[in-house]
Amino acid sequence: MKWNGLGFALGLGFLGVLVWAIALLRPKQLPRLGILARITQLRWWHYVVCFALVPAAVYVVQWIPHIWLYPRGVTELPSGTDAVPVLWNTLRDLHRDLIGNHTNANVGVGTDKVVHPYCSTWLSWPVLGRPISYYFDADDSQWQSVLAIGNPILWWLALPAVVGLTISTMIRFRAFPAYVLLGYAANYLPWMKVSRCLFLYHYMSALVFSVMALAFVLDGFLHHRRTTVRLIGLFAIGAIALSQIFFTPIWLGLPVTPQQFYLRMWFRPGLWTGDLTGFNWI
């Protein structure tokens, strides 16, 4: 069971706290939040039902088929109400194991025990340090590879966009950037506490918000009064588009020559004098 979706729930929680803080501390600024200001119009039971009872019920219900087929401590699930304690104990034990797997396993990077060759640390995700290879085949002079790597230009521009938007929002509060930044933080920062082997795809939820941040920044560039700034925005979009085309063959497993393959491996062992720690695209 994946818990990645909890980041979106956490982001909503952060957003609610922010709106209520503004309503209590700076009520005159509440209209600037637009539709978000309507959060303060919700009753207490709206929060309980919509953000606690319904999500919890849906989550538990989707576990029932698995627990029904694989109950713990019994060879066969009892009938009637006698099945309820078994179902509950199985659900409890499963989540105890899941939490243990997240908090007790070695990451496998920088340790004696390499859990998986494509393990990566959470710090390496925004800079695209360690992608994942799903498929590779070499036939004479033609290679085919399916590499789970993002568009490098997109990722590397998205990171400073998040940083810049954070600074600007601290100086001049705006509702949409705040929503984006809270969503990014909620989906990224909790991975700091997970010690098991992690992979680049765990960053996907946070990436959604970093790309939104980049889109917001580039929109500002494109509508800037200075021609130079507008050209920078157009250049960034063009670079992202060209990078998308350039890396498509190794995303889709299209045949390429070894030279064409290595041309796309910007970080690999032995390429740089003193390999960059955490960077390896092979």
Side-chain angles (χ1 to χ4, degrees), residues 24-277:
L24 295 174
L25 302 177
R26 305 186 67 180
K28 292 183 179 180
Q29 300 295 325
L30 200 59
R32 294 180 58 188
L33 298 181
I35 194 173
L36 295 180
R38 298 182 65 180
I39 290 177
T40 59
Q41 299 175 14
L42 297 176
R43 303 292 183 88
W44 66 268
W45 59 268
H46 290 147
Y47 290 98
V48 173
V49 173
C50 296
F51 298 110
L53 296 182
V54 171
V58 172
Y59 180 77
V60 171
V61 166
Q62 68 182 345
W63 272 103
I64 290 178
H66 174 84
I67 298 173
W68 198 276
L69 293 172
Y70 306 103
R72 294 194 175 188
V74 295
T75 57
E76 184 178 348
L77 194 68
S79 59
T81 57
D82 292 337
V84 175
V86 177
L87 292 172
W88 172 254
N89 292 335
T90 301
L91 183 67
R92 180 199 61 200
D93 293 344
L94 281 170
H95 282 73
R96 184 178 297 164
D97 293 344
L98 286 170
I99 294 172
N101 290 335
H102 277 293
T103 57
N104 297 326
N106 290 327
V107 174
V109 177
T111 65
D112 294 334
K113 180 182 179 182
V114 178
V115 178
H116 195 283
Y118 292 107
C119 286
S120 59
T121 61
W122 64 275
L123 279 172
S124 71
W125 299 340
V127 293
L128 205 58
R130 184 62 171 150
I132 308 165
S133 178
Y134 286 113
Y135 175 79
F136 182 83
D137 181 65
D139 183 12
D140 296 331
S141 61
Q142 296 292 312
W143 289 6
Q144 289 178 283
S145 173
V146 177
L147 188 67
I149 184 174
N151 182 327
I153 306 302
L154 177 64
W155 287 47
W156 294 339
L157 290 179
L159 179 58
V162 169
V163 175
L165 204 59
T166 301
I167 296 173
S168 67
T169 303
M170 292 173 65
I171 297 173
R172 180 175 177 269
F173 178 82
R174 287 173 291 179
F176 180 74
Y179 161 74
V180 170
L181 296 173
L182 288 173
Y184 181 81
N187 283 277
Y188 179 48
L189 297 182
W191 292 106
M192 295 170 56
K193 300 298 293 182
V194 180
S195 60
R196 72 173 180 85
C197 176
L198 297 174
F199 300 95
L200 183 65
Y201 57 71
H202 289 118
Y203 184 64
M204 292 298 101
S205 298
L207 178 67
V208 171
F209 292 95
S210 69
V211 173
M212 291 172 65
L214 177 60
F216 184 85
V217 171
L218 289 180
D219 180 71
F221 277 33
L222 295 177
H223 291 87
H224 201 276
R225 58 185 178 83
R226 291 188 178 182
T227 303
T228 304
V229 177
R230 294 200 300 271
L231 288 175
I232 292 175
L234 289 172
F235 177 80
I237 293 173
I240 292 171
L242 289 175
S243 179
Q244 189 81 10
I245 296 171
F246 182 69
F247 282 90
T248 292
I250 62 172
W251 292 334
L252 302 182
L254 302 179
V256 295
T257 65
Q259 293 76 16
Q260 292 170 337
F261 173 81
Y262 283 116
L263 188 63
R264 291 163 173 81
M265 298 297 103
W266 295 351
F267 301 97
R268 62 180 188 267
L271 179 63
W272 304 95
T273 303
D275 292 336
L276 297 174
T277 302

